[in-house]
Amino acid sequence: LPRQAQGDGSLRPVPCVLHMARYWRAWEMRWPFRELVNGGQPWDFLLGPWKSALLKSGFAVVSADVRGAGASSGTQSVVWSPRETQDTLELIDFIVGGSHAVTTQGARQPWSDGQVALFGVSYDAGAAVRAAAHQHPAVKALVASFLFGDIWRELFPGGIMNRWFLQSWCDVNSRLDNCRLSAIHPFAPLAMKGAAPASSKQQLARHVAEHSANWDLMSAAGSVAAIDDPVSISSGETMTCLKRA
């Protein structure tokens, strides 16, 4: 929370920036390395400076790992799944005390003034845009950087699969999702523990174990030869580079 929200014995409501993270919302470091970063607290090595700037500007910042990644439970059935978007909408409901589905009012968080901005870079930007499309009344702004605007033309330029990017992206995500730090860098386990836990270490271990069932993007992408080729996904849906059926 920003200093503006921390009053004398009470919390003052401020607007909130919500970030849904595909690449871990925060990393937990080992001693003594953690003493060198963020006062010993977990740190987001990708977007940490942005989050710090938002806090200094007076915004509350909520950052959560998407389903099937980081410290979150569940599996990823497909990139930007409807269930993943639903998770974002439910988190907005939790922050503002409302509901995107029905006209009811719940308990707003004491630090929330009822206004939410969605924020993300790359995959996280896609998650933000998909949540914003549902027009939740609390969402007042959207900041999406390096967004995939056209999956077909960016990942299959000229109809040819950008195999290097897709395979590299899948490999990095698999290493993160299953917390295989040594596969990221041989020395990484010496300085890092993994994704920052959201609760107990035991629960984190259970959640990471669930990630082994995440969707295999490369096996699905290999069957795509044209923009409208249907691909079956584990949720039972079919999708194309144009839309999800």
Side-chain angles (χ1 to χ4, degrees), residues 4-227:
Q4 293 89 325
Q6 302 174 34
D8 297 330
S10 63
L11 294 176
R12 300 171 184 170
V14 295
C16 174
V17 175
L18 173 59
H19 166 238
M20 302 299 292
R22 179 66 184 90
Y23 314 111
W24 294 5
R25 77 199 191 284
W27 295 61
E28 185 179 25
M29 301 185 68
R30 298 185 184 278
W31 187 90
F33 301 100
R34 64 170 175 259
E35 302 303 327
L36 305 175
V37 179
N38 198 32
Q41 298 301 310
W43 179 246
D44 182 349
F45 286 95
L46 293 176
L47 300 178
W50 294 34
K51 294 175 183 177
S52 294
L54 289 167
L55 286 169
K56 291 177 182 177
S57 298
F59 294 94
V61 177
V62 173
S63 192
D65 294 310
V66 299
R67 180 178 295 258
S72 287
S73 61
T75 60
Q76 187 180 64
S77 62
V78 67
V79 291
W80 301 304
S81 70
R83 179 62 256 191
E84 182 182 301
T85 301
Q86 180 71 15
D87 292 338
T88 305
L89 297 173
E90 291 175 2
L91 188 49
I92 296 172
D93 289 344
F94 170 79
I95 293 168
V96 304
S99 173
H100 66 283
V102 294
T103 55
T104 59
Q105 188 69 22
R108 177 182 295 176
Q109 297 305 306
W111 43 262
S112 168
D113 70 357
Q115 300 182 92
V116 174
L118 299 174
F119 162 69
V121 176
S122 186
Y123 183 100
D124 308 349
V129 166
R130 283 160 175 78
H134 287 260
Q135 299 182 328
H136 193 296
V139 175
K140 307 301 182 184
L142 167 67
V143 180
S145 299
F146 301 103
L147 176 70
F148 279 97
D150 187 325
I151 293 178
W152 174 257
R153 287 173 176 80
E154 293 177 17
L155 298 183
F156 294 82
I160 301 173
M161 182 197 299
N162 187 345
R163 185 176 297 275
W164 176 86
F165 173 82
L166 282 171
Q167 187 64 66
S168 299
W169 188 80
C170 289
D171 288 346
V172 168
N173 282 328
S174 177
R175 293 163 186 169
L176 289 173
D177 295 345
N178 297 286
C179 198
R180 293 188 289 114
L181 294 177
S182 60
I184 297 174
H185 191 281
F187 295 138
L190 298 176
M192 311 286 187
K193 290 185 177 181
S199 53
S200 68
K201 299 285 188 180
Q202 292 77 12
Q203 186 181 67
L204 175 62
R206 290 195 299 269
H207 289 176
V208 170
E210 294 175 5
H211 301 169
S212 63
N214 279 357
W215 181 59
D216 181 4
L217 171 59
M218 278 305 297
S219 60
S223 65
V224 176
I227 192 171

